[in-house]
Amino acid sequence: MTIPNIRIPCRQLFIDGEWRESVKKNRLPVINPATEEIIGDIPAATAEDVDIAVKAARSALRRDDWGNTTGAQRAKYLRAIAAKVQEKRHELATLETIDNGKPWFEAASDIDDVVACFEYYADLAEALDSKKKTEVKLHLDSFKTHVYREPLGVVGLITPWNYPLLMTTWKVAPALAAGCAAVLKPSEIASITSLELGEICREVGLPPGALNIITGLGHEAGSPLVSHPDVDKIAFTGSGPTGVNIMTAAAQLVKPVSLELGGKSPIVVFDDIHDLDIAVEWALFGCFWTNGQICSATSRLILQETIASKFLDRLLEWTKNIKISDPLEEDCKLGPVISRGQYEKVMKFISTAKNEGATILYGGERPQHLKKGYYIQPTIITDVDTSMEIWKEEVFGPVLCVKTFKTEEEAIELANDTKYGLGAAILSKDLERCERFTKAFQSGIVWVNCSQPCFWQPPWGGKKRSGFGRELGEWSLENYLNIKQVTQYASPDEPWAFYKSPSKL
């Protein structure tokens, strides 16, 4: 595998189809998490820039070249974006890796999903034309009613740093398919590929203002976007505390929000599993994929005690075999976490677990062969009590904690012993048992005999403190549509005759 040497593009804010310098001309450094070196910078938008971007989006909705398009016309833009992303696959994957730290082959896989996601929503945009006006049957012949599906308006999209371009696509593609105009605010920690999406939109001729991209700090750019009176909806993926702040701010304007927040997902493993190694690999993949920085990570391993010792022994052997290296190296399976702040946060979780009486079975330190970069060994923690922080809180790093159980009832209780409700997994040969757990799990996503696969066709989202609303599939398109009831009096020449006519008194 040959990975090209890529230079970080120096971009401005993407507003109204053009690159524009931020009003205050401030910029933020971009740090490669594998080397800790500054490799570029991005614009630091403020409220003034947000206002300009929102006005550009509103203007786009008023113009025929975007606001009056059919789904089929929008689908052409989405497919053009997909084709251009595919053309730049190697470049975008490399930019993602040096900005985010995930292994290159994972980043390349993300880019493939970006392409597929844009193409999928192009299909849904076309299909929307036939569903735009839908008749509703009434019990009265004197009225006719139909439902009209129309774009919700200007939407604010705030995305995280763990899947920079893919999470952007999860929101941008359905928003554009629905005919909305969007203002995207990616995480300031990983914005490079989201800005490159702006260049792609410019190259394919997406109408000005349909998509605007502002980068910057949350309190300087994100907060003004959430509270802007001319933004009709906010879609956010990120941390729970930030989600609470967004809900609070949006509530002041009774503004709808959809939130995909954190998780502390369980993976329950029974002693009748098909194959020990297969189960071990799913347990590792479910937690350590994306360097452990995934909201749906099945980071609580719940083992039936009859196989716990054998399972953990094999788990250790597999974990020790994981290649930790510069994420641009071939066959790297674990890169650095995103930033120094995240590195320190994860290490503190590990230290606290040890202080609370848990056992660090493996890992918990910087790999000895890597002197620079925010690397953390894949970490397995046992002797965990349900009162411990490591059991209750989202770590967002390569840390797996383990508990054992005897009965199904105990396993279900442990699995649901969390304030979160994003994902849950069960590994068992007994499909009736799997069905029981599928119904019992308090989560929005369930994996049976696997963990973490994600596709763009089914819905994605959680319950409890993991948020509400669904992304992906047809469900995501609904996030960006206004449902308007239109009722028509079927006999306009006939009086309604509720009141007495003055002329007949």
Side-chain angles (χ1 to χ4, degrees):
M1 178 180 66
T2 302
I3 298 171
N5 195 8
I6 300 294
R7 176 178 164 273
I8 302 294
C10 184
R11 300 294 187 196
Q12 303 292 347
L13 303 176
F14 186 70
I15 299 176
D16 208 19
E18 299 176 350
W19 294 110
R20 299 189 179 189
E21 190 171 38
S22 60
V23 171
K24 294 187 176 177
K25 302 181 180 180
N26 294 331
R27 297 185 72 86
L28 300 170
V30 174
I31 298 173
N32 183 340
T35 64
E36 304 182 41
E37 296 174 350
I38 295 176
I39 55 175
D41 53 41
I42 58 171
T46 56
E48 295 88 344
D49 303 299
V50 171
D51 191 54
I52 296 169
V54 171
K55 287 177 179 175
R58 184 60 64 188
S59 177
L61 291 175
R62 297 192 188 104
R63 295 195 319 270
D64 286 346
D65 67 347
W66 184 251
N68 201 31
T69 53
T70 64
Q73 289 170 324
R74 297 192 295 273
K76 291 180 180 179
Y77 291 118
L78 295 177
R79 291 196 178 100
I81 292 170
K84 187 63 71 171
V85 170
Q86 180 63 50
E87 180 185 315
K88 299 186 176 186
R89 177 180 184 266
H90 273 64
E91 175 187 347
L92 290 170
T94 305
L95 289 172
E96 198 88 301
T97 295
I98 61 180
D99 193 22
N100 166 277
K102 66 172 59 187
W104 189 90
F105 85 95
E106 288 189 33
S109 177
D110 289 353
I111 303 305
D112 292 338
D113 282 355
V114 167
V115 172
C117 203
F118 271 109
E119 291 175 341
Y120 174 77
Y121 281 103
D123 292 342
L124 291 190
E126 285 181 333
L128 191 60
D129 284 341
S130 64
K131 302 174 183 177
K132 189 174 184 179
K133 183 178 178 180
T134 307
E135 184 183 354
V136 178
K137 295 293 184 181
L138 301 177
H139 65 291
L140 293 176
D141 293 335
S142 51
F143 294 94
K144 295 179 179 179
T145 293
H146 66 269
V147 166
Y148 188 73
R149 290 175 171 84
E150 62 185 7
L152 193 57
V154 174
V155 293
L157 313 176
I158 304 177
T159 55
W161 45 257
N162 56 335
Y163 287 85
L165 188 55
L166 185 56
M167 294 293 99
T168 284
T169 302
W170 280 21
K171 290 176 169 54
V172 168
L176 295 183
C180 292
V183 179
L184 167 69
K185 193 279 177 191
S187 168
E188 65 273 15
I189 305 179
S191 296
I192 293 175
T193 51
S194 292
L195 285 171
E196 290 312 291
L197 179 61
E199 178 63 13
I200 287 170
C201 289
R202 190 190 66 80
E203 290 176 1
V204 304
L206 185 73
L211 176 62
N212 307 275
I213 305 171
I214 55 170
T215 56
L217 300 173
H219 66 282
E220 292 183 346
S223 294
L225 180 61
V226 172
S227 59
H228 199 288
D230 213 20
V231 172
D232 299 301
K233 175 196 168 66
I234 294 293
F236 170 75
T237 298
S239 72
T242 303
V244 170
N245 292 337
I246 286 173
M247 280 190 70
T248 302
Q252 310 310 307
L253 297 172
V254 198
K255 183 180 302 187
V257 298
S258 54
L259 302 174
E260 205 266 84
L261 307 176
K264 192 72 177 179
S265 301
I267 178 168
V268 180
V269 182
F270 279 88
D271 60 8
D272 67 341
I273 48 177
H274 293 271
D275 181 279
L276 186 67
D277 278 347
I278 291 173
V280 165
E281 185 175 11
W282 280 120
L284 292 178
F285 182 81
C287 186
F288 298 153
W289 171 255
T290 312
N291 302 338
Q293 299 169 131
I294 181 168
C295 51
S296 57
T298 42
S299 56
R300 291 185 300 133
L301 174 58
I302 301 171
L303 285 173
Q304 193 157 27
E305 62 179 24
T306 47
I307 60 164
S309 178
K310 188 195 314 183
F311 193 97
L312 288 174
D313 286 346
R314 196 63 179 148
L315 187 71
L316 277 175
E317 292 176 25
W318 275 74
T319 303
K320 291 174 182 177
N321 198 43
I322 294 174
K323 181 178 178 179
I324 312 170
S325 68
D326 185 304
L328 290 174
E329 283 189 23
E330 189 168 3
D331 206 34
C332 170
K333 291 297 189 291
L334 191 71
V337 296
I338 187 74
S339 65
R340 179 172 297 280
Q342 189 65 19
Y343 174 88
E344 292 173 351
K345 176 185 172 184
V346 174
M347 294 303 288
K348 185 177 180 181
F349 269 114
I350 296 169
S351 173
T352 299
K354 188 174 181 180
N355 291 338
E356 289 181 341
T359 299
I360 312 302
L361 186 65
Y362 183 81
E365 299 176 349
R366 167 186 287 277
Q368 291 185 357
H369 66 289
L370 295 166
K371 305 305 180 184
K372 284 188 175 181
Y374 309 123
Y375 294 93
I376 300 173
Q377 291 175 318
T379 302
I380 301 169
I381 301 178
T382 57
D383 299 319
V384 173
D385 187 85
T386 57
S387 65
M388 292 179 180
E389 181 186 59
I390 198 66
W391 175 261
K392 296 188 293 185
E393 300 299 331
E394 182 179 40
V395 176
F396 227 65
V399 179
L400 178 67
C401 65
V402 185
K403 274 195 70 62
T404 61
F405 70 93
K406 293 181 180 179
T407 66
E408 278 194 19
E409 292 73 21
E410 186 183 0
I412 290 170
E413 184 177 350
L414 287 170
N416 290 334
D417 180 30
T418 173
K419 60 188 176 185
Y420 297 107
L422 186 52
I426 176 171
L427 276 58
S428 171
K429 189 164 57 178
D430 186 339
L431 294 182
E432 290 185 0
R433 169 188 284 153
C434 292
E435 183 64 19
R436 289 194 296 273
F437 271 72
T438 294
K439 294 176 180 178
F441 282 139
Q442 296 171 2
S443 65
I445 304 160
V446 174
W447 295 293
V448 177
N449 288 319
C450 59
S451 177
Q452 232 48 248
C454 179
F455 309 95
W456 50 89
Q457 299 96 335
W460 181 276
K463 59 188 296 187
K464 299 196 284 189
R465 295 195 191 181
S466 289
F468 50 84
R470 291 296 181 266
E471 296 198 284
L472 299 180
E474 296 182 10
W475 296 266
S476 186
L477 193 64
E478 293 172 2
N479 284 335
Y480 303 102
L481 292 172
N482 180 52
I483 307 301
K484 180 183 286 183
Q485 179 211 127
V486 181
T487 296
Q488 176 183 346
Y489 186 36
S491 306
D493 295 333
E494 298 292 327
W496 180 231
F498 182 79
Y499 299 104
K500 290 183 178 180
S501 171
S503 64
K504 296 182 179 180
L505 290 178

